[in-house]
């Protein structure tokens, strides 16, 4: 009679790093399940893992900003890497060239993050689902 205990045998998963070395790391079924549930991508650089996150921000456009973007009242904007108001300004300028002169110059437009004004020169971190309003200068009498 021959008996083998397979419960102690560790499964391995191969991991490629940027320097193309191949290593084996024991992995359990529960760790594999957790890895599948994660909502981010991992990249291994210099043997240190870091997260590359992506978020979607709703941008509301008013007055001249709406006209510069082609008469759209809102935009869903996806940001990768830097997740702040400066990155949002740059992304909007790249995607909508008509908005570039407005969004890149802070004196031309005011941002409001989740219904709170952002002071000129201030940089705020953004999270998934935030709402940012582009508010051009208001004139009239």
């Amino acid at each position: 009679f021959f008996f083998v205990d397979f419960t102690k045998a560790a499964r391995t998963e191969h991991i490629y790093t940027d320097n193309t070395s191949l290593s084996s790391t024991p992995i359990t079924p529960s760790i594999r399940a957790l890895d599948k549930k994660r909502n981010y991508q991992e990249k291994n650089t210099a043997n240190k893992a870091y997260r590359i996150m992506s978020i979607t921000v709703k941008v509301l456009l008013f007055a001249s900003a709406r006209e510069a973007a082609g008469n759209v009242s809102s935009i869903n904007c996806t940001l990768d890497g830097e997740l702040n108001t400066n990155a949002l300004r740059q992304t909007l300028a790249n995607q909508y060239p008509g908005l570039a002169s407005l969004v890149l110059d802070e004196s031309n437009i005011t941002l409001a993050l989740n219904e709170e004004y952002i002071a000129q020169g201030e940089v705020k971190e953004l999270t998934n689902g935030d709402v940012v309003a582009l508010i051009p200068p208001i004139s009239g009498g």
Side-chain angles (χ1 to χ4, degrees):
F1 185 79
F2 183 69
F3 178 76
V4 176
D5 184 6
F6 287 104
T7 60
K8 293 184 180 179
R11 288 195 269 171
T12 61
E13 183 173 274
H14 298 289
I15 300 170
Y16 291 92
T17 60
D18 284 351
N19 59 8
T20 65
S21 65
L22 179 65
S23 64
S24 294
T25 304
I27 189 162
T28 62
S30 61
I31 292 174
R32 186 180 307 276
L34 288 173
D35 284 343
K36 288 181 180 179
K37 290 181 181 180
R38 290 187 178 140
N39 191 18
Y40 61 84
Q41 300 170 330
E42 287 189 2
K43 182 178 179 183
N44 192 326
T45 301
N47 297 325
K48 291 185 179 182
Y50 66 95
R51 294 178 185 158
I52 300 173
M53 294 189 64
S54 170
I55 64 169
T56 301
V57 176
K58 184 174 185 175
V59 180
L60 304 176
L61 306 163
F62 298 98
S64 60
R66 178 184 296 178
E67 292 168 8
N71 289 322
V72 293
S73 59
S74 68
I75 300 168
N76 287 324
C77 188
T78 301
L79 298 174
D80 299 316
E82 279 191 77
L83 307 174
N84 60 39
T85 52
N86 279 346
L88 177 64
R89 286 177 183 269
Q90 190 61 52
T91 301
L92 289 171
N94 292 340
Q95 291 179 356
Y96 298 89
L99 276 176
S101 63
L102 289 173
V103 296
L104 293 178
D105 184 1
E106 291 186 24
S107 64
N108 285 337
I109 203 153
T110 301
L111 298 183
L113 173 59
N114 298 325
E115 299 182 7
E116 292 185 26
Y117 285 106
I118 299 174
Q120 196 171 27
E122 187 177 4
V123 177
K124 293 278 193 172
E125 293 297 315
L126 299 172
T127 59
N128 197 41
D130 279 345
V131 177
V132 177
L134 302 181
I135 305 167
I138 299 170
S139 63

